[in-house]
Amino acid sequence: MKVLRNVEEALEFTKGNYQKSVGLVPTMGFLHAGHKSLIDEARKNNEIVVVSIFVNPTQFGPGEDYEAYPRDEERDFKLCEEAGVDAVFTPDPKEFYQNHKTYVTIEDLKDNLCGKTRPIHFRGVLTVLTKLFHIFKPTNAYFGRKDAQQFLIVKKAVEDLNFGINIVPCPIKREEDGLAISSRNVYLSEEERKAAPILHKALEKGRAAIKKGMKAEDLIKIIVDEIKTEKLSDIEYVQVVDTKEIKDVDVIDGDVLVALAVRFGKTRLIDNFFYEVWDV
Ligand code: AMP
């Protein structure tokens, strides 16, 4: 497995693999079973698999957890090596963004859900991905449905800007008690960790109740009431949006994303499910 520490080395790697199919798995490291499932999917369908491990400063707002974000390079490299990854890309943030002036953003889709409290987040995400896409020229790029708004935004941006990359969504990996696996779960205290599976429980209650023609507010109430049974929870949002514009819907009559962000102490967790009216 090659370890690429700067753009020059990465471009050299890309040149050497010209005409091979490349699967890219962008991550911020501290890898877990969720990331591993993306890597495994990439390994199945590409000649070359590249994992980027980069805590991207441009997607963190002031006062967010950029400095505190967990990092463990040795463990990450081992997981990648064992998963058959061909190269990991882990650039130095200062060098990667040296005298940087150019950003990629998206209209409208960035403004709802997580974008309401993280206004520069998706600009940072699209900027780093644009750089990664240009550097590695992947055939396929793999994204978890856990970050549902990110997935929808990336898919739209890739279409709009004609990147010609296939964006592959992957299912959410969960702990045994239902909590969506996240690098940020290590921030949770023992008590908060015990409380956090309420999010999945609440979403499952919502999933059981959802049906075509239902008012979104009735669905939201079911989910919110369930979450509130956990005293440690502090809801940022529970919303039902359409999957094209990411706008709130009144009535469920097309494909929707049911998404939430909830804090437990200082830790902000997200989770969601997609509901496809036409599939049921
Ligand atoms: P991150 O390192 O948190 O930026 O995540 C990198 C990629 O892994 C993103 O596409 C995430 O959606 C995906 N991912 C993170 N956690 C999970 C999970 N529990 N299940 C599936 N994909 C995940």
Side-chain angles (χ1 to χ4, degrees):
M1 184 177 81
K2 283 228 158 86
V3 176
L4 311 167
R5 295 224 177 247
N6 57 52
V7 173
E8 210 185 329
E9 287 172 13
L11 288 172
E12 206 48 46
F13 179 83
T14 301
K15 229 196 260 169
N17 290 294
Y18 177 62
Q19 287 193 336
K20 287 195 184 139
S21 60
V22 173
L24 175 67
V25 182
T27 83
M28 297 207 299
F30 210 67
L31 302 179
H32 52 62
H35 300 114
K36 169 82 164 48
S37 69
L38 272 56
I39 296 170
D40 290 345
E41 197 55 34
R43 188 65 284 171
K44 273 193 242 159
N45 297 309
N46 301 275
E47 287 162 281
I48 299 291
V49 174
V50 177
V51 176
S52 61
I53 297 175
F54 183 60
V55 184
N56 174 36
T58 62
Q59 70 189 65
F60 288 79
E64 289 187 357
D65 58 342
Y66 175 67
E67 299 294 341
Y69 197 85
R71 293 158 168 90
D72 189 340
E73 186 176 281
E74 208 176 306
R75 196 163 63 88
D76 287 352
F77 285 3
K78 189 161 176 277
L79 186 148
C80 287
E81 180 103 55
E82 286 173 5
V85 168
D86 297 286
V88 293
F89 178 53
T90 181
D92 174 68
K94 284 204 185 72
E95 198 181 339
F96 195 65
Y97 282 116
Q98 206 169 28
N99 194 29
H100 198 87
K101 307 283 190 201
T102 310
Y103 292 88
V104 181
T105 189
I106 188 164
E107 299 298 301
D108 306 331
L109 277 69
K110 71 174 191 317
D111 296 329
N112 205 353
L113 306 180
C114 292
K116 287 192 294 187
T117 52
R118 308 190 73 190
I120 64 155
H121 177 67
F122 291 110
R123 180 182 85 143
V125 168
L126 288 179
T127 301
V128 75
L129 289 175
T130 298
K131 284 163 77 70
L132 293 172
F133 290 166
H134 284 136
I135 293 165
F136 290 105
K137 305 182 181 19
T139 320
N140 301 295
Y142 295 80
F143 292 86
R145 284 179 187 264
K146 168 156 175 296
D147 298 86
Q149 187 176 14
Q150 169 173 280
F151 159 64
L152 294 174
I153 282 177
V154 171
K155 201 160 144 7
K156 180 69 174 125
V158 161
E159 276 166 27
D160 284 354
L161 298 178
N162 307 108
F163 274 97
I165 295 168
N166 183 31
I167 301 300
V168 185
C170 300
I172 302 176
K173 283 277 168 195
R174 298 181 179 280
E175 303 286 2
E176 263 176 32
D177 58 12
L179 176 64
I181 303 175
S182 165
S183 306
R184 288 188 167 101
N185 290 351
V186 294
Y187 298 153
L188 296 166
S189 71
E190 208 174 305
E191 252 201 319
E192 290 161 356
R193 174 62 189 82
K194 275 199 199 123
I198 195 68
L199 302 184
H200 179 57
K201 201 169 158 221
L203 286 172
E204 284 304 295
K205 223 170 165 180
R207 199 203 293 266
I210 196 170
K211 55 181 187 291
K212 184 167 160 31
M214 187 179 192
K215 275 190 181 166
E217 66 181 295
D218 295 339
L219 176 65
I220 291 167
K221 185 170 184 322
I222 291 169
I223 296 168
V224 165
D225 286 351
E226 184 66 27
I227 295 171
K228 283 189 172 163
T229 63
E230 268 302 344
K231 290 189 309 292
L232 294 176
S233 67
D234 176 13
I235 297 175
E236 183 181 303
Y237 69 77
V238 177
Q239 286 178 247
V240 182
V241 299
D242 73 276
T243 56
K244 290 250 170 332
E245 300 292 328
I246 318 193
K247 292 238 161 70
D248 293 73
V249 304
D250 292 331
V251 175
I252 293 154
D253 65 357
D255 293 357
V256 292
L257 165 66
V258 181
L260 57 77
V262 175
R263 284 176 196 279
F264 290 85
K266 288 199 179 94
T267 311
R268 181 179 179 277
L269 301 179
I270 56 172
D271 204 342
N272 68 80
F273 69 89
F274 284 86
Y275 177 69
E276 281 138 16
V277 165
W278 314 117
D279 280 354
V280 292

